[in-house]
Amino acid sequence: MIAVVATYRPAAQSLLALLADLAGEGVTTIVVDDASPCTFDPLLRQVSDQVAGAVPVQVQRFDNNRGIARSLNAGLAFAND
């Protein structure tokens, strides 16, 4: 099973808790960030590093914000590859 999580300026605690819950269920997750500012770089790196050992988490980032639909569609396209 694969989940797509679209983010923009995500709250660290909420995102990490969600990913931990998904990992606990054995769900591979694709996080697609819709151009959050560079201040979110450490969190998004942590997402890749923290959960990578248990269940795969793939992080994709965009350079410009075009809305949640693009993020969800990109995540679904990546999951289907």
Side-chain angles (χ1 to χ4, degrees), residues 2 30 75-81:
I2 297 175
I30 301 168
L76 291 173
F78 185 81
N80 287 323
D81 285 343

Side-chain angles (χ1 to χ4, degrees), residues 6-16 19 31-49 59-62 65:
T7 64
Y8 176 72
R9 301 175 62 110
Q13 201 170 36
S14 298
L15 178 60
L16 295 173
L19 295 176
V31 175
V32 183
D33 183 74
D34 201 16
S36 291
C38 63
T39 55
F40 289 86
D41 289 354
L43 171 61
L44 294 170
R45 272 194 300 275
Q46 181 183 357
V47 164
S48 295
D49 296 342
V59 177
Q60 293 183 311
R61 297 189 73 184
F62 287 113
N65 187 316

Side-chain angles (χ1 to χ4, degrees), residues 1-5 15-31 51 55 57:
M1 185 180 324
I2 297 175
V4 176
V5 177
L15 178 60
L16 295 173
L18 172 63
L19 295 176
D21 287 348
L22 290 168
E25 295 295 321
V27 177
T28 298
T29 306
I30 301 168
V31 175
V51 189
V55 177
V57 174

